[in-house]
């Protein structure tokens, strides 16, 4: 079993020695990889759907790790008990769902020490939620896999404030001038200019508002790239 680039990058953010709760585990590949390599001592592979959880259970048994990795049916963190895990991984979900999971069962109340998040959309919403709920981003990464960009963040308890640009693109990714982020920004600028061109002849109020939003984001990107 070889992890994809995006999952390998997320797995590398888990602190060695921590007990992991993998939310939305799907096939269970991340906990299997980390436990098999003895990076972590144990894990709980959790999923809201029985089908993926059964696949994860089969893979765990094939790896001979059923004594170290539990599988648990759970909507987000609901079935996780206080003190059972040190790290929480949420990868491959939309931003709104990630925020809902973190809001319904706040990780700080479960004595979680770190979050590793890899939201697939509405990433600014996730970063703002972290600010509001007692978490700060202490490092980030970003990979390009199969034509799609995957930002991810490692979070620890603490206070954080973000500029609009940092919320959109990541404070650590910006400060380190991450090469994949810079590639994404150029790609994003091209997409936004194409969207703006397609709206040029639209006359509705909604279209005008969208054009203004696009121009604003293009301006942010150009400012960042000019300071490269």
């Amino acid at each position: 079993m070889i992890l994809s680039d995006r999952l390998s990058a997320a797995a590398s953010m888990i602190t060695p020695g921590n007990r992991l709760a993998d939310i939305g585990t799907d096939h269970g590949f991340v906990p299997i990889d980390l436990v098999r390599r003895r990076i972590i001592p144990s894990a709980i592979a959790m999923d809201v759907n029985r089908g993926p959880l059964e696949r994860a259970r089969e893979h765990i048994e094939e790896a001979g790790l059923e004594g170290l990795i539990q599988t648990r049916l759970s909507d987000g963190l609901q079935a996780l008990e206080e003190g059972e895990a040190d790290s929480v991984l949420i990868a491959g979900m939309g931003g709104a769902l990630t925020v809902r999971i973190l809001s319904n069962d706040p990780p700080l109340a479960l004595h979680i020490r770190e979050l590793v998040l890899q939201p697939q959309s509405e990433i600014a919403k996730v970063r703002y939620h972290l600010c509001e709920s007692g978490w700060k981003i202490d490092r980030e990464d970003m990979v390009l896999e199969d034509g799609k960009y995957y930002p991810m963040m490692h979070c620890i308890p603490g206070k954080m404030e973000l500029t609009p640009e940092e919320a959109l693109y990541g404070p650590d990714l910006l400060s380190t001038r991450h090469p994949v982020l810079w590639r994404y920004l150029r790609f994003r600028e091209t997409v936004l200019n194409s969207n703006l061109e397609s709206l040029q002849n639209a006359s509705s109020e909604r279209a005008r508002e969208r054009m203004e939003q696009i121009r604003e984001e293009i301006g942010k990107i150009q400012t960042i790239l000019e300071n490269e």
Side-chain angles (χ1 to χ4, degrees), residues 67-87:
L68 298 174
I69 305 176
Q70 298 180 40
T71 56
R72 191 174 297 176
L73 192 68
S74 178
D75 182 0
L77 294 163
Q78 287 183 4
L80 187 67
E81 299 294 330
E82 181 182 334
E84 279 192 308
D86 309 299
S87 306

Side-chain angles (χ1 to χ4, degrees), residues 21 23 46 74-81 88 90 101-102 104-107 110 112 115:
I23 310 304
M46 309 174 78
S74 178
D75 182 0
L77 294 163
Q78 287 183 4
L80 187 67
E81 299 294 330
V88 163
I90 305 177
I101 289 171
L102 297 176
N104 287 353
D105 297 277
L110 297 169
I112 299 301
L115 304 174

Side-chain angles (χ1 to χ4, degrees), residues 11-223:
S12 71
M13 288 186 159
I14 303 298
T15 299
N18 278 8
R19 299 162 301 160
L20 173 66
D22 182 19
I23 310 304
T25 193
D26 197 18
H27 292 79
F29 288 159
V30 171
I32 290 171
D33 175 75
L34 290 172
V35 172
R36 183 156 55 189
R37 292 192 292 121
R38 299 184 180 180
I39 304 297
I40 62 174
S42 64
I44 305 172
M46 309 174 78
D47 207 290
V48 69
N49 296 309
R50 294 184 183 276
L53 201 64
E54 183 57 34
R55 289 196 297 271
R57 184 179 294 112
E58 291 170 358
H59 293 145
I60 291 164
E61 291 175 355
E62 289 170 4
L65 297 173
E66 58 267 36
L68 298 174
I69 305 176
Q70 298 180 40
T71 56
R72 191 174 297 176
L73 192 68
S74 178
D75 182 0
L77 294 163
Q78 287 183 4
L80 187 67
E81 299 294 330
E82 181 182 334
E84 279 192 308
D86 309 299
S87 306
V88 163
L89 170 64
I90 305 177
M93 299 185 192
L97 178 55
T98 300
V99 168
R100 181 180 71 79
I101 289 171
L102 297 176
S103 300
N104 287 353
D105 297 277
L108 288 175
L110 297 169
H111 292 179
I112 299 301
R113 299 178 183 175
E114 67 181 6
L115 304 174
V116 176
L117 308 177
Q118 193 183 81
Q120 305 294 291
S121 61
E122 299 181 281
I123 300 167
K125 180 181 289 187
V126 174
R127 292 190 177 109
Y128 278 132
H129 176 76
L130 293 169
C131 290
E132 296 163 0
S133 55
W135 292 88
K136 65 178 181 180
I137 298 168
D138 73 331
R139 66 183 187 273
E140 296 177 292
D141 196 5
M142 191 174 196
V143 299
L144 174 62
E145 181 178 88
D146 297 331
K148 185 170 182 180
Y149 294 89
Y150 294 93
M152 62 205 78
M153 58 201 81
H154 179 272
C155 314
I156 58 175
K159 294 182 179 180
M160 173 179 67
E161 294 183 0
L162 297 173
T163 66
E165 291 78 11
E166 288 172 336
L168 279 172
Y169 309 119
D172 188 52
L173 294 175
L174 286 168
S175 66
T176 61
R177 300 177 179 271
H178 196 290
V180 179
L181 173 65
W182 253 245
R183 184 171 177 178
Y184 168 75
L185 290 173
R186 295 188 184 95
F187 165 78
R188 179 69 175 165
E189 184 181 19
T190 299
V191 170
L192 290 171
N193 278 314
S194 177
N195 291 345
L196 191 60
E197 185 176 347
S198 69
L199 289 169
Q200 289 298 332
N201 296 323
S203 57
S204 69
E205 181 63 28
R206 184 174 180 179
R208 286 194 293 270
E209 289 176 357
R210 179 57 185 149
M211 288 173 68
E212 184 57 35
Q213 291 170 354
I214 291 172
R215 291 191 184 100
E216 184 177 342
E217 186 173 354
I218 290 173
K220 287 185 173 69
I221 291 172
Q222 290 176 342
T223 299

